[in-house]
Amino acid sequence: MTQDPRPPVSDHPGVIAPPPLIFFGFLLLGWALDARVLHLTLPIDLTLPVRIGAVALILSGLALEMWAGGLFRKAGTNVVPWSPSTALVESGPYRFTRNPMYVGFTLVYLGLALGLKSPTALVLLIPCLVVMTWGVILREERYLAARFGQPYLDYKTRVRRWL
């Protein structure tokens, strides 16, 4: 963890919307289109192994989100992306991905889409991740580079954005 030695560059990175809302919005849109308009369903039965797989995705995603969020709280920095960052967290899952919370949201999304048997929701994950990248992550990266300078740029070269 690197503490911020400089005054704030701006109050926040200016993300377009709260990330959970983006994920939930795409999931809900896909499920609603399948249920009400397209009348599509995944060609799978919700057998015990499928349910276990869906629940495993959801639980692992939630666990990753909580672990990553807990490290932010422990470092004394804000979890929500519309508040100032006061510390750069590089430990735990942040050693492997710069966005473990968003990886967690993706796992939860996949588990819910599978459990809902929604092929459209699965397809909409791709534009969801594009929106997350362009509307949230790139903005956060510009903000963090301005806020933390070289320590963040070094971290960015060591750790991948997703996985």
Side-chain angles (χ1 to χ4, degrees):
M1 174 180 64
T2 303
Q3 290 296 325
D4 180 14
R6 300 174 299 172
V9 175
S10 69
D11 293 278
H12 54 79
V15 300
I16 61 168
L21 185 61
I22 294 170
F23 278 97
F24 183 71
F26 275 95
L27 179 70
L28 187 60
L29 175 64
W31 175 76
L33 285 172
D34 284 342
R36 302 288 182 210
V37 178
L38 302 173
H39 305 290
L40 296 175
T41 186
L42 286 175
I44 59 171
D45 291 326
L46 287 179
T47 60
L48 185 59
V50 173
R51 288 179 186 174
I52 289 172
V55 169
L57 285 167
I58 294 166
L59 292 178
S60 61
L62 290 172
L64 184 57
E65 291 169 32
M66 291 187 326
W67 183 20
L71 290 172
F72 267 36
R73 284 186 286 285
K74 182 178 177 183
T77 194
N78 292 299
V79 175
V80 295
W82 52 89
S83 296
S85 293
T86 58
L88 183 60
V89 178
E90 302 180 40
S91 61
Y94 292 95
R95 293 174 300 166
F96 309 106
T97 173
R98 296 193 308 264
N99 297 292
M101 286 185 243
Y102 303 152
V103 172
F105 289 145
T106 302
L107 293 172
V108 171
Y109 183 111
L110 286 169
L112 290 171
L114 182 62
L116 293 169
K117 297 175 58 173
S118 177
T120 303
L122 288 174
V123 169
L124 287 180
L125 179 58
I126 295 167
C128 176
L129 295 177
V130 169
V131 169
M132 282 297 301
T133 299
W134 289 96
V136 176
I137 295 170
L138 291 176
R139 293 167 187 241
E140 289 177 338
E141 289 178 350
R142 279 191 300 272
Y143 168 77
L144 293 170
R147 177 91 171 168
F148 295 103
Q150 197 59 47
Y152 177 73
L153 296 174
D154 292 343
Y155 170 69
K156 192 174 167 183
T157 61
R158 285 191 319 272
V159 179
R160 294 178 181 215
R161 180 178 288 149
W162 287 99
L163 292 176

